[in-house]
Each structure stands twice: as C-alpha cells, then as structure tokens.
Amino acid sequence: MPGTLFVVATPIGNLEDITGRALRVLREASIIAAEDTRRTAHLLARYAITTPTTSLHEHNEAQKSASLVGRLERGDNVALVSDAGTPTISDPGHRLIKAAIDAGIRIEPIPGPSAVIAALAVSGLPSESFAFLGFPPVRSKARSTWFERARTIGGTIVFFESPHRIRETLAQLRVEVGDCQVVLCRELTKTHEELVRGPISAVLGEINPPIGEFTIVANIGQSTERTLASPPEPREVLAELGELTNSLGMTRRAAVATLAKRHKLGANAVYELIEKAKKLVK
C-alpha cells in the first residue's frame, strides 16, 4: 500500500500554536520534508519528536520530489512542513504535491496556523471575501502587473512584504489605489507582535524600525468607488509626487505620468495641481 503525504501547518511564531493532530502526524511519519531542517528542529525538540528530516526548499524541490514520491510509493508516510504556517502558501511544496497527485498518492491536509487568516481575523476590515496576493514582485514589469491586479480585484486584499521593501510598497499602493485603510501585522504571535491600523499616509509614519516580515491587510475599495472619487486636492498630489520621487526614486516626469494615470487626469492637469499646491504652502 502506498503511503500518505501529509501537508502539515506549523506555528507562525508561538510554538504553542500547533494542533494535537499535527504533533501525532509528525511523530508517526517515516520522514519530515522541511523547508529548513534547522528551523524545524526547534519545533521537533520542543515536543520531543525524533522523526528524521530532509530538506525540501525552492532550490532542490524539483530534484527532491521524485525521491520522496518514490518513498511514498513504497509505503512510507511523508510529512511536509514549511518554516512557518501552511506549505505552498508563499512557501515550497507545490511541486511535491503535484508530483504526488500525478502518482496517485493520497494527500491529506493537517490544517493549522496561517498568517493570512490570523491577520484578516483581527484586521476589522471586510472579510466576507478577500484575495491573497503573496509577495509583490521585485522586478518592475511584474510589480506593475501585481498592482494592476490588486486594482482590478478591489475589496480586501492580503499580502506579505519584507521589512526593507515595506515603505516602498505602501507608498506605491497609495499612489495606485489611494490613501486606503490598511492593517500592518508584524511578528504575529511572537513576543513583539505589533498591529498598526489606519490610512497608508498615517501608517507610513509608524514603521520604525521596519523589522520582521509583514502581513498587510488593505481595503482598497471597488473600482467603481475609486472612479467616482472626488478630484484630488493639490496638497495631496504634491505629497504623492514627493513619495514617488523620494521613496521610489522616480524622475519627476515618470512620477507625473504615474499620478496622471492614478487620478485619471492629463499630465498638464497634474502639473497645474502641483503648482497650485506650491503656492498654497508658501
């Protein structure tokens, strides 16, 4: 009889956040396929679990999947875990699961902690439906596509971001969809857990220092709501120009083009608003 591939959710921070079922599966499995065996070792030691581990990460998953499927076909049970949370959710595991499906192996989910659901649950933002968008890409073309997708989806979105890109991403999100309400969740379930709520403009001033991975929940509204929004205030446009040129390093011309697209205005109209704002602050 072939074995079973168990997809096991593990704590996202606090090691007490693991189910009794997950612990049993980790103890009884023939082997644990872990994103980082060193990090998983801390969890296993906490609960005196001695099951052997093997690494399965983004750089070796293609090669390792075949051997693990071979073990499953020979009757071994394999537990798949990532560093934190649920495997395949912005973590490795998809290739192994796909290979197991193709081989006719039984796959069993062992649900548990999820940074996405934890952040959404405490956000106070609409949660009847939402979209999870993972990490915004780094490369400019893919990044633009990511923001375009966010605008198209609308409503509540959840995504991850690293500490050294959080300011840039929030500044760009503000330009793309407006000064929407966001909830920044940092170090969820850990000792220094922090939740910051408010419009992007206010939240940007409270990210100090940006340490630890962020889970962000944002309510960007529907496209129809954004289309019907009132014309931008001159000071708002001037502030956005500053964010684009200072935080994102855009040239003045590129920033104006971005603002024109964002506010559905011509470039000349944006220039006029900027000049008007300069006169108001004198």
Side-chain angles (χ1 to χ4, degrees):
M1 285 286 292
T4 298
L5 174 60
F6 294 96
V7 183
V8 184
T10 54
I12 59 176
N14 192 318
L15 294 184
E16 294 179 4
D17 295 336
I18 189 166
T19 68
R21 184 181 176 207
L23 292 174
R24 176 180 61 77
V25 166
L26 292 175
R27 285 194 179 97
E28 296 177 355
S30 304
I31 192 168
I32 298 170
E35 181 180 2
D36 185 334
T37 55
R38 294 166 300 181
R39 291 192 61 172
T40 299
H42 294 298
L43 174 66
L44 301 182
R46 170 69 176 270
Y47 292 100
I49 296 172
T50 58
T51 306
T53 61
T54 186
S55 64
L56 184 84
H57 48 71
E58 61 178 331
H59 302 297
N60 74 355
E61 187 175 356
Q63 295 76 25
K64 218 51 173 306
S65 294
S67 62
L68 287 170
V69 168
R71 295 193 61 159
L72 286 160
E73 290 176 326
R74 293 192 294 272
D76 286 346
N77 290 331
V78 176
L80 170 66
V81 300
S82 59
D83 287 350
T86 304
T88 77
I89 309 301
S90 288
D91 279 331
H94 172 77
R95 288 179 176 176
L96 174 59
I97 291 171
K98 183 64 169 62
I101 292 171
D102 292 342
I105 300 297
R106 173 180 170 80
I107 302 173
E108 193 169 317
I110 311 298
S114 165
V116 175
I117 300 303
L120 184 67
V122 299
S123 69
L125 299 177
S127 57
E128 292 80 9
S129 65
F130 68 95
F132 172 60
L133 301 181
F135 281 92
V138 178
R139 295 181 183 276
S140 59
K141 185 175 181 180
R143 192 171 176 85
S144 296
T145 301
W146 187 93
F147 280 102
E148 179 63 35
R149 184 183 176 204
R151 282 198 305 270
T152 302
I153 291 171
T156 299
I157 62 170
V158 186
F159 60 95
F160 297 147
E161 189 53 284
S162 62
H164 60 280
R165 282 198 296 269
I166 184 64
R167 290 183 182 278
E168 175 186 346
T169 294
L170 286 177
Q172 190 168 352
L173 184 66
R174 182 185 178 192
V175 169
E176 298 285 350
V177 303
D179 198 13
C180 63
Q181 291 290 320
V182 297
V183 181
L184 264 62
C185 305
R186 185 179 68 87
E187 300 285 270
L188 280 171
T189 78
K190 298 179 183 179
T191 303
H192 301 292
E193 177 180 281
E194 180 181 22
L195 275 69
V196 181
R197 310 170 191 271
I200 294 175
S201 56
V203 167
L204 278 169
E206 298 189 44
I207 310 173
N208 189 28
I211 300 172
E213 188 175 284
F214 289 85
T215 302
I216 302 97
V217 187
N219 181 22
I220 63 176
Q222 303 302 323
S223 59
T224 52
E225 296 170 349
R226 295 195 296 274
T227 300
L228 296 174
S230 57
E233 291 292 326
R235 285 193 177 94
E236 177 188 346
V237 174
L238 183 61
E240 290 178 347
L241 178 72
E243 287 174 358
L244 290 172
T245 54
N246 297 327
S247 300
L248 303 184
M250 285 187 180
T251 63
R252 182 182 173 87
R253 175 178 290 185
V256 168
T258 299
L259 290 172
K261 180 180 177 182
R262 157 73 180 92
H263 294 294
K264 296 181 173 58
L265 297 171
N268 288 338
V270 173
Y271 279 116
E272 288 175 8
L273 287 168
I274 292 169
E275 293 305 315
K276 185 180 294 185
K278 288 179 179 179
K279 293 177 181 177
L280 291 172
V281 296
K282 285 182 178 179

